[in-house]
mmCIF file of all heavy atoms in Angstrom:
data_model
loop_
_atom_site.group_PDB
_atom_site.id
_atom_site.type_symbol
_atom_site.label_atom_id
_atom_site.label_comp_id
_atom_site.label_asym_id
_atom_site.label_seq_id
_atom_site.Cartn_x
_atom_site.Cartn_y
_atom_site.Cartn_z
ATOM 1 N N TYR A 137 -7.532 0.290 9.879
ATOM 2 C CA TYR A 137 -8.445 1.091 10.834
ATOM 3 C C TYR A 137 -9.493 0.244 11.436
ATOM 4 O O TYR A 137 -10.447 -0.043 10.753
ATOM 5 C CB TYR A 137 -9.046 2.294 10.073
ATOM 6 C CG TYR A 137 -8.078 3.234 9.442
ATOM 7 C CD1 TYR A 137 -7.459 2.967 8.251
ATOM 8 C CD2 TYR A 137 -7.643 4.345 10.239
ATOM 9 C CE1 TYR A 137 -6.474 3.824 7.729
ATOM 10 C CE2 TYR A 137 -6.715 5.233 9.659
ATOM 11 C CZ TYR A 137 -6.128 4.965 8.476
ATOM 12 O OH TYR A 137 -5.151 5.817 7.947
ATOM 13 N N PRO A 138 -9.298 -0.153 12.705
ATOM 14 C CA PRO A 138 -10.338 -1.032 13.282
ATOM 15 C C PRO A 138 -11.573 -0.246 13.775
ATOM 16 O O PRO A 138 -12.513 -0.887 14.268
ATOM 17 C CB PRO A 138 -9.526 -1.672 14.501
ATOM 18 C CG PRO A 138 -8.486 -0.659 14.856
ATOM 19 C CD PRO A 138 -8.206 0.054 13.556
ATOM 20 N N GLY A 139 -11.601 1.061 13.640
ATOM 21 C CA GLY A 139 -12.651 1.839 14.297
ATOM 22 C C GLY A 139 -14.012 1.945 13.491
ATOM 23 O O GLY A 139 -15.049 2.363 14.014
ATOM 24 N N HIS A 140 -14.033 1.651 12.211
ATOM 25 C CA HIS A 140 -15.286 1.817 11.519
ATOM 26 C C HIS A 140 -15.916 0.357 11.164
ATOM 27 O O HIS A 140 -15.178 -0.663 11.277
ATOM 28 C CB HIS A 140 -15.046 2.481 10.154
ATOM 29 C CG HIS A 140 -14.105 1.763 9.219
ATOM 30 N ND1 HIS A 140 -14.551 0.795 8.325
ATOM 31 C CD2 HIS A 140 -12.746 1.896 9.000
ATOM 32 C CE1 HIS A 140 -13.529 0.354 7.637
ATOM 33 N NE2 HIS A 140 -12.472 0.977 8.006
ATOM 34 N N PRO A 141 -17.161 0.335 10.873
ATOM 35 C CA PRO A 141 -17.777 -1.005 10.673
ATOM 36 C C PRO A 141 -17.053 -1.815 9.616
ATOM 37 O O PRO A 141 -16.788 -1.363 8.529
ATOM 38 C CB PRO A 141 -19.233 -0.658 10.226
ATOM 39 C CG PRO A 141 -19.487 0.719 10.723
ATOM 40 C CD PRO A 141 -18.174 1.397 10.713
ATOM 41 N N GLY A 142 -16.693 -3.005 9.976
ATOM 42 C CA GLY A 142 -15.948 -3.836 9.030
ATOM 43 C C GLY A 142 -14.429 -3.709 9.133
ATOM 44 O O GLY A 142 -13.653 -4.562 8.604
ATOM 45 N N GLY A 143 -14.021 -2.593 9.648
ATOM 46 C CA GLY A 143 -12.588 -2.357 9.694
ATOM 47 C C GLY A 143 -11.778 -3.276 10.526
ATOM 48 O O GLY A 143 -10.664 -3.670 10.107
ATOM 49 N N ALA A 144 -12.333 -3.687 11.674
ATOM 50 C CA ALA A 144 -11.567 -4.685 12.549
ATOM 51 C C ALA A 144 -11.472 -6.010 11.857
ATOM 52 O O ALA A 144 -10.403 -6.622 11.923
ATOM 53 C CB ALA A 144 -12.284 -4.761 13.908
ATOM 54 N N ASP A 145 -12.492 -6.430 11.215
ATOM 55 C CA ASP A 145 -12.500 -7.722 10.469
ATOM 56 C C ASP A 145 -11.431 -7.699 9.339
ATOM 57 O O ASP A 145 -10.741 -8.637 9.087
ATOM 58 C CB ASP A 145 -13.813 -8.032 9.868
ATOM 59 C CG ASP A 145 -14.872 -8.357 10.938
ATOM 60 O OD1 ASP A 145 -14.429 -8.683 12.110
ATOM 61 O OD2 ASP A 145 -16.082 -8.437 10.692
ATOM 62 N N GLU A 146 -11.426 -6.489 8.612
ATOM 63 C CA GLU A 146 -10.446 -6.381 7.526
ATOM 64 C C GLU A 146 -9.050 -6.414 8.121
ATOM 65 O O GLU A 146 -8.141 -7.193 7.558
ATOM 66 C CB GLU A 146 -10.689 -5.093 6.771
ATOM 67 C CG GLU A 146 -9.748 -4.904 5.604
ATOM 68 C CD GLU A 146 -9.953 -3.634 4.874
ATOM 69 O OE1 GLU A 146 -10.171 -2.572 5.498
ATOM 70 O OE2 GLU A 146 -9.888 -3.609 3.608
ATOM 71 N N ALA A 147 -8.729 -5.740 9.126
ATOM 72 C CA ALA A 147 -7.473 -5.713 9.730
ATOM 73 C C ALA A 147 -7.097 -7.083 10.224
ATOM 74 O O ALA A 147 -5.859 -7.521 10.005
ATOM 75 C CB ALA A 147 -7.430 -4.677 10.911
ATOM 76 N N ALA A 148 -8.027 -7.833 10.826
ATOM 77 C CA ALA A 148 -7.693 -9.216 11.268
ATOM 78 C C ALA A 148 -7.404 -10.111 10.082
ATOM 79 O O ALA A 148 -6.460 -10.883 10.210
ATOM 80 C CB ALA A 148 -8.896 -9.650 12.141
ATOM 81 N N ALA A 149 -8.167 -9.975 9.056
ATOM 82 C CA ALA A 149 -7.953 -10.828 7.847
ATOM 83 C C ALA A 149 -6.587 -10.575 7.221
ATOM 84 O O ALA A 149 -5.828 -11.480 6.867
ATOM 85 C CB ALA A 149 -9.061 -10.612 6.785
ATOM 86 N N VAL A 150 -6.246 -9.296 7.149
ATOM 87 C CA VAL A 150 -4.923 -8.985 6.595
ATOM 88 C C VAL A 150 -3.787 -9.505 7.503
ATOM 89 O O VAL A 150 -2.803 -10.111 7.026
ATOM 90 C CB VAL A 150 -4.755 -7.409 6.387
ATOM 91 C CG1 VAL A 150 -3.358 -7.025 6.114
ATOM 92 C CG2 VAL A 150 -5.743 -6.920 5.319
ATOM 93 N N ARG A 151 -3.973 -9.335 8.763
ATOM 94 C CA ARG A 151 -2.924 -9.832 9.722
ATOM 95 C C ARG A 151 -2.777 -11.293 9.644
ATOM 96 O O ARG A 151 -1.662 -11.896 9.552
ATOM 97 C CB ARG A 151 -3.383 -9.373 11.160
ATOM 98 C CG ARG A 151 -2.172 -9.599 12.106
ATOM 99 C CD ARG A 151 -2.469 -9.039 13.410
ATOM 100 N NE ARG A 151 -1.614 -9.677 14.467
ATOM 101 C CZ ARG A 151 -1.754 -9.544 15.695
ATOM 102 N NH1 ARG A 151 -2.678 -8.772 16.178
ATOM 103 N NH2 ARG A 151 -0.992 -10.114 16.507
ATOM 104 N N ALA A 152 -3.928 -12.028 9.530
ATOM 105 C CA ALA A 152 -3.934 -13.467 9.477
ATOM 106 C C ALA A 152 -3.188 -13.926 8.186
ATOM 107 O O ALA A 152 -2.390 -14.903 8.216
ATOM 108 C CB ALA A 152 -5.281 -14.038 9.525
ATOM 109 N N ARG A 153 -3.388 -13.274 7.038
ATOM 110 C CA ARG A 153 -2.751 -13.592 5.802
ATOM 111 C C ARG A 153 -1.203 -13.456 5.960
ATOM 112 O O ARG A 153 -0.368 -14.271 5.510
ATOM 113 C CB ARG A 153 -3.310 -12.730 4.691
ATOM 114 C CG ARG A 153 -2.601 -12.975 3.263
ATOM 115 C CD ARG A 153 -2.858 -14.378 2.747
ATOM 116 N NE ARG A 153 -4.278 -14.637 2.585
ATOM 117 C CZ ARG A 153 -4.922 -14.476 1.419
ATOM 118 N NH1 ARG A 153 -4.344 -14.175 0.345
ATOM 119 N NH2 ARG A 153 -6.225 -14.745 1.448
ATOM 120 N N ILE A 154 -0.809 -12.316 6.592
ATOM 121 C CA ILE A 154 0.543 -11.981 6.689
ATOM 122 C C ILE A 154 1.305 -12.916 7.610
ATOM 123 O O ILE A 154 2.461 -13.317 7.385
ATOM 124 C CB ILE A 154 0.779 -10.465 7.124
ATOM 125 C CG1 ILE A 154 0.323 -9.657 5.919
ATOM 126 C CG2 ILE A 154 2.234 -10.202 7.570
ATOM 127 C CD1 ILE A 154 0.368 -8.194 6.283
ATOM 128 N N GLU A 155 0.566 -13.411 8.686
ATOM 129 C CA GLU A 155 1.213 -14.254 9.623
ATOM 130 C C GLU A 155 1.512 -15.642 8.944
ATOM 131 O O GLU A 155 2.413 -16.386 9.461
ATOM 132 C CB GLU A 155 0.283 -14.471 10.838
ATOM 133 C CG GLU A 155 0.314 -13.335 11.800
ATOM 134 C CD GLU A 155 -0.696 -13.418 12.903
ATOM 135 O OE1 GLU A 155 -1.661 -14.254 12.835
ATOM 136 O OE2 GLU A 155 -0.704 -12.612 13.753
ATOM 137 N N GLN A 156 0.800 -15.952 7.847
ATOM 138 C CA GLN A 156 1.069 -17.252 7.101
ATOM 139 C C GLN A 156 2.146 -17.146 6.071
ATOM 140 O O GLN A 156 2.403 -18.117 5.371
ATOM 141 C CB GLN A 156 -0.256 -17.701 6.452
ATOM 142 C CG GLN A 156 -1.430 -17.915 7.455
ATOM 143 C CD GLN A 156 -1.069 -18.974 8.419
ATOM 144 O OE1 GLN A 156 -0.503 -19.999 8.099
ATOM 145 N NE2 GLN A 156 -1.513 -18.679 9.723
ATOM 146 N N LEU A 157 2.787 -15.964 5.878
ATOM 147 C CA LEU A 157 3.639 -15.852 4.719
ATOM 148 C C LEU A 157 4.908 -16.722 4.931
ATOM 149 O O LEU A 157 5.357 -16.900 6.020
ATOM 150 C CB LEU A 157 4.053 -14.403 4.644
ATOM 151 C CG LEU A 157 2.990 -13.423 4.046
ATOM 152 C CD1 LEU A 157 3.530 -12.013 4.000
ATOM 153 C CD2 LEU A 157 2.646 -13.896 2.588
ATOM 154 N N PRO A 158 5.454 -17.197 3.843
ATOM 155 C CA PRO A 158 6.618 -18.023 3.961
ATOM 156 C C PRO A 158 7.904 -17.258 4.205
ATOM 157 O O PRO A 158 7.863 -15.994 4.293
ATOM 158 C CB PRO A 158 6.780 -18.649 2.502
ATOM 159 C CG PRO A 158 6.045 -17.703 1.568
ATOM 160 C CD PRO A 158 4.922 -17.108 2.382
ATOM 161 N N ASP A 159 9.010 -17.973 4.317
ATOM 162 C CA ASP A 159 10.273 -17.271 4.850
ATOM 163 C C ASP A 159 10.807 -16.353 3.782
ATOM 164 O O ASP A 159 11.789 -15.625 4.181
ATOM 165 C CB ASP A 159 11.317 -18.396 5.078
ATOM 166 C CG ASP A 159 11.013 -19.177 6.309
ATOM 167 O OD1 ASP A 159 10.043 -18.789 7.047
ATOM 168 O OD2 ASP A 159 11.639 -20.264 6.484
ATOM 169 N N ALA A 160 10.349 -16.327 2.566
ATOM 170 C CA ALA A 160 10.788 -15.301 1.657
ATOM 171 C C ALA A 160 10.328 -13.898 2.047
ATOM 172 O O ALA A 160 10.856 -12.908 1.507
ATOM 173 C CB ALA A 160 10.217 -15.620 0.239
ATOM 174 N N PHE A 161 9.520 -13.832 3.019
ATOM 175 C CA PHE A 161 9.055 -12.479 3.532
ATOM 176 C C PHE A 161 9.364 -12.397 5.004
ATOM 177 O O PHE A 161 9.378 -13.344 5.790
ATOM 178 C CB PHE A 161 7.576 -12.362 3.322
ATOM 179 C CG PHE A 161 7.165 -12.435 1.931
ATOM 180 C CD1 PHE A 161 6.723 -13.593 1.335
ATOM 181 C CD2 PHE A 161 7.204 -11.274 1.013
ATOM 182 C CE1 PHE A 161 6.377 -13.660 0.018
ATOM 183 C CE2 PHE A 161 6.878 -11.289 -0.243
ATOM 184 C CZ PHE A 161 6.389 -12.517 -0.766
ATOM 185 N N SER A 162 9.561 -11.133 5.384
ATOM 186 C CA SER A 162 9.745 -10.795 6.820
ATOM 187 C C SER A 162 8.742 -9.746 7.147
ATOM 188 O O SER A 162 8.530 -8.759 6.434
ATOM 189 C CB SER A 162 11.102 -10.237 7.027
ATOM 190 O OG SER A 162 11.337 -9.848 8.348
#
Side-chain angles (χ1 to χ4, degrees):
Y137 297 85
H140 63 84
D145 289 345
E146 181 180 42
V150 168
R151 192 173 158 189
R153 177 67 59 97
I154 289 175
E155 284 170 352
Q156 299 301 319
L157 287 174
D159 291 347
F161 298 96
S162 174

